[in-house]
Amino acid sequence: MNDSFVTVGKPKRKVDGLAIVRGKPVYTPDYDMPDALVVKLLRSPHAHALIKNIETEHAKSINDVVDIFTFCDVERIAYTRAGQGYPEPSPYDTFLLDRKVRYVGDPVAIVAAKTEKAAKDALRNIKVEYEILDAILEMKEATKEGLPIIHDESECSGIYDKSRNIAAHYEMNVGDVEETLKTCDVVIERTYHIDTQLHAALEPHNALTYLDSVGRLTVITSTQVPFHCRRILSHILNKPIADIRVIKPRIGGGFGGKQSVIVEPYAALVTIKTGKPARITYTREEVSMATNIRHEMSFDVTVGATKDGKIKAISLHGVSNTGAYGEHSLTTFMVSGSKTLPLYNKVEAVHFGGDIVYTNLPPAGAYRGYGAPQGLFPLDCAIDELAYEIKLDPLELKEINSIREGETSPIFEIMGEGREGVPQTMKSCKLQECIDLGKNEIDWESKRGKKIRNGSKVRGVGCALAMQGSGIPKVDMGAATIKMNEDGSFNLLVGATDLGTGSDTILAQIAAEVLTVPLEKVIVYSSDTDITPFDVGAYASSTTYVSGNAVRLAAEKIKEKLFELASKYLGKGVSELSLQSGMIACKDGASVSLSELCTMHMYTFNQQQISESASFVGEESPPPFAASFAEVEVDTDTGKITLLNFVSYADCGVALNPIQAIGQLEGASMQGIGWALYEDIIYGKNGRMLTNDFFTYKVPSRMDFGKLTCRLVDSYEPTGPFGAKSIGEIGIDTPIPAIANAIFDATGIRLRHAPFKSERVLFEILNMEV
Amino acid sequence: MKITLNVNGKLHDIDIDPGEYLLDVLRRIGYKSVRRSCNSASCGTCTVLLNGKPILSCSTFAASVDGQSIETVEGMSDGEKLHPIQEAILEEGGAQCGYCIPGLIMTGEALLRENIDPSDEEIKLALNGNICRCTGYEPQNRAIKKAAQVMRGELDE
Ligand code: FES
Ligand code: FES
């Protein structure tokens, strides 16, 4: 398939690669603005409290402190930080500053100072008197009667049930699960719990704001969602969209953590109130405690099957912890079902539902996988458990019950994101190939169930299958504009947001492929709300598919335009023309190069700017698929788990840039591995996150795994740009279930609470021995 | 107070606060490749070479390195020509967001100056303090290995 392409499907170097390896100043903190005020936030030391009194006069009098703002100084406007399409399916439950604080770290006051030192001094000298309220620190407690209400304010909207701290609720049924279970030979009923996770992107959240020469607010920020950011700022600050410009430079990692509007409003407020440039940069501790974390979830899972392994009914009923605020609450929860349940499409009945509750813990938000890994853990492991119950190879059980090309699932139509979905039939699904190749690579047959021992150490293997999506169908829109220059080069302007994923590169590859020019002739400029067309931004695995299709359409329009102009110039019919290697040629030998064509249309003949725009909204969201395998070694003396090998094969359609695509699969797998084995968040008794730096919160390093083998299978998605679908998220779905299943294969211990700490394993081993 | 730093062979006379960290000073005088992530000696992003050895500039007082020689990634390429580690990172897909890359390149360079033929294990060990949250590490490790081969003259660039 790839051989017919010139630029796509090739491992091209990143278009921003040179700047990166040379350490060029391309990130937000690198923009010098010498007179920018330093913005710092005073944060609540209490998980739940009312501000009785706040005294800033003394702090304001400190030398170099410019101003301090509290809830008394800002207009009370409810909003959601969620960077989602409008209207957002998230409750409006957040205020820039409020009289009430709802988690340890909730902002209390905004300090603007000329120096960092003065800002810090001011923080120490603001006196706040709190009335401490009871706090809810356990999600399972949140809905109980008699507990404090976290969001009792009247201005909020979109909260499902304020009085019971339920931010959102969802429920859906296909068939009748209870009745179907009665017809099953085996029924597995379990509870699985999965803890939260930090994004830990290396570049902290930060933004720089200033008024331009005509007084418009300019915001340079490390965001995944520049256009949503502009819209939300306009709402919070009561400023027309026309008066705001959001620029996204390079981003030092996002993973969903920058899909919420977090730091921008504070700096923007300072700039508006003082007229001065302002810079806000979160410390690592603030990034950990006071941005977004992943939704902790717990699911009661029920799977019923016949004794020969036909899965007939699945139920997932759970609770999700959205923390103090509800951004992305409903949608992440729905994705736990919508991007896992269609995998097992041969069932007769499905139930999915539960509550997303408020607690006095840091707000959860978007995070790579967006709920899918939290849903896949119970689903995949329960099926694994069922396999042992009926004495089938778990891989075989998953294999025979999973979705294939040409098939569909009713879930696609029922469950979207915050609303109903769209029906779709799998036009590309190479799950079987992923299974076969991965199985071979890990040597499944000779390793499974063998419990190979070496002293106190025992080995095991586990597998998991996964799917994701490619954008939110009928919601996500991406647009591209292409304009031509007289040397035959093209400016590609996209709203899409490269957060390190390589999207600038693959979008340029798509344009270069259509226009038959070398990649160097496509100059990409992305994510500047004044200049580039709209795009929802980088999330929901949408960029390749949604923005990629927009670029392909724009490039095709340009190509048509070029044919039309060349036809007039050459005096030939359009149907006689072809475009190859930057030349338009007629069958009779007449030809004109793209640069000649553009030059004459700029200066001498039929003068005009050759430029076109196109938009794309997905009619469907073709899922990528993956089969992953883990091999672990467990030391039964200590409980220590060593990941020897992790193998993941994915079907992402045509990989437009194989190196970058595999990089996404590898990187997401590594984040999943970290979550499974090392990354553990601990809160103090007062709800304060104790693991808020890289010493206490352990992201995996180079020595923390044996081998990582990520590969792609041949596939072609007819609705994708040049056959592509997404790859950004899927890799994070499988490590937790695959590793849990491998630990079981090695030890006979079922770990139903992730992450899998050695202590938990040892505890189980000791329990077994008793 | 005043200090002198030799950065990538260029002398700088700089006014600093006695308590200022090298990271802040280097960024202030324009070496923006030196990046802050954890600010507490636990991620490697701010790595520079001090007299040829990797150090964490976020936790090194600028005053303590007065008069000494610092190297940053800005000094790695020879005009247009990239250093073999830079080339190999691009070639192997070792950079995604790129935020960790300058620190990684400097640590890799220090390793290869000491050991031009490191084993896989030696590479992992030397770079273990350089956290990358985007990649699965393998392409970066491969890149260092490849750069070493190029520098030994066994592989064309
Ligand atoms: S910023 Fe210096 S080690 Fe992290
Ligand atoms: S490439 Fe993003 S942290 Fe390494």
Side-chain angles (χ1 to χ4, degrees), chain A residues 139-214:
Chain A
M139 70 171 176
K140 296 231 157 131
E141 307 281 304
T143 58
K144 286 195 180 143
E145 239 166 85
L147 286 183
I149 299 171
I150 296 176
H151 285 280
D152 46 7
E153 51 284 350
S154 59
E155 299 90 333
C156 288
S157 60
I159 298 176
Y160 179 74
D161 183 351
K162 284 183 193 174
S163 67
R164 293 172 57 223
N165 293 312
I166 304 177
H169 172 87
Y170 182 76
E171 193 125 3
M172 75 98 206
N173 291 289
V174 177
D176 186 331
V177 168
E178 258 179 49
E179 284 305 310
T180 312
L181 284 175
K182 287 184 194 153
T183 68
C184 293
D185 302 317
V186 220
V187 174
I188 293 283
E189 270 191 271
R190 300 286 188 267
T191 300
Y192 278 82
H193 189 116
I194 189 159
D195 287 346
T196 177
Q197 184 186 21
L198 301 185
H199 304 80
L202 287 196
E203 182 202 7
H205 293 63
N206 73 111
L208 173 66
T209 55
Y210 57 91
L211 300 177
D212 71 9
S213 53
V214 292

Side-chain angles (χ1 to χ4, degrees), chain A residues 403-591:
Chain A
I403 193 165
R404 290 295 180 275
E405 217 156 87
E407 295 179 2
T408 185
S409 156
I411 311 285
F412 286 123
E413 184 168 4
I414 298 169
M415 294 179 79
E417 274 185 41
R419 58 186 229 171
E420 71 287 357
V422 295
Q424 54 178 358
T425 299
M426 299 304 94
K427 300 190 176 78
S428 62
C429 173
K430 302 293 179 217
L431 195 49
Q432 190 64 51
E433 287 75 354
C434 294
I435 294 172
D436 294 343
L437 290 164
K439 181 177 174 178
N440 232 350
E441 176 71 32
I442 198 93
D443 203 1
W444 182 256
E445 294 297 346
S446 69
K447 285 181 177 159
R448 188 186 75 85
K450 300 298 186 300
K451 297 197 187 322
I452 300 162
R453 262 196 182 271
N454 174 13
S456 64
K457 294 179 181 149
V458 56
R459 293 186 172 194
V461 287
C463 67
L465 308 182
M467 60 173 281
Q468 197 78 33
S470 300
I472 310 172
K474 300 205 161 146
V475 174
D476 286 348
M477 190 270 272
T481 297
I482 300 179
K483 73 182 176 70
M484 194 174 186
N485 305 311
E486 60 264 56
D487 63 349
S489 66
F490 297 88
N491 292 105
L492 170 61
L493 308 177
V494 289
T497 304
D498 189 334
L499 55 150
T501 49
S503 68
D504 282 354
T505 308
I506 59 136
L507 296 178
Q509 284 179 271
I510 291 171
E513 186 72 41
V514 175
L515 297 166
T516 74
V517 296
L519 187 55
E520 304 72 58
K521 291 241 166 175
V522 180
I523 306 131
V524 195
Y525 185 73
S526 58
S527 312
D528 177 332
T529 58
D530 262 15
I531 296 172
T532 67
F534 177 86
D535 192 293
V536 288
Y539 59 85
S541 288
S542 62
T543 305
T544 300
Y545 187 76
V546 176
S547 316
N549 265 322
V551 170
R552 184 181 52 87
L553 291 174
E556 274 164 6
K557 279 169 120 176
I558 288 268
K559 190 169 152 182
E560 254 170 60
K561 182 86 192 173
L562 291 170
F563 279 148
E564 181 195 315
L565 298 176
S567 139
K568 278 195 197 129
Y569 169 68
L570 294 171
K572 311 281 175 190
V574 168
S575 61
E576 294 171 68
L577 302 177
S578 67
L579 171 63
Q580 237 173 18
S581 309
M583 288 290 272
I584 293 184
C586 181
K587 287 178 195 140
D588 70 2
S591 71

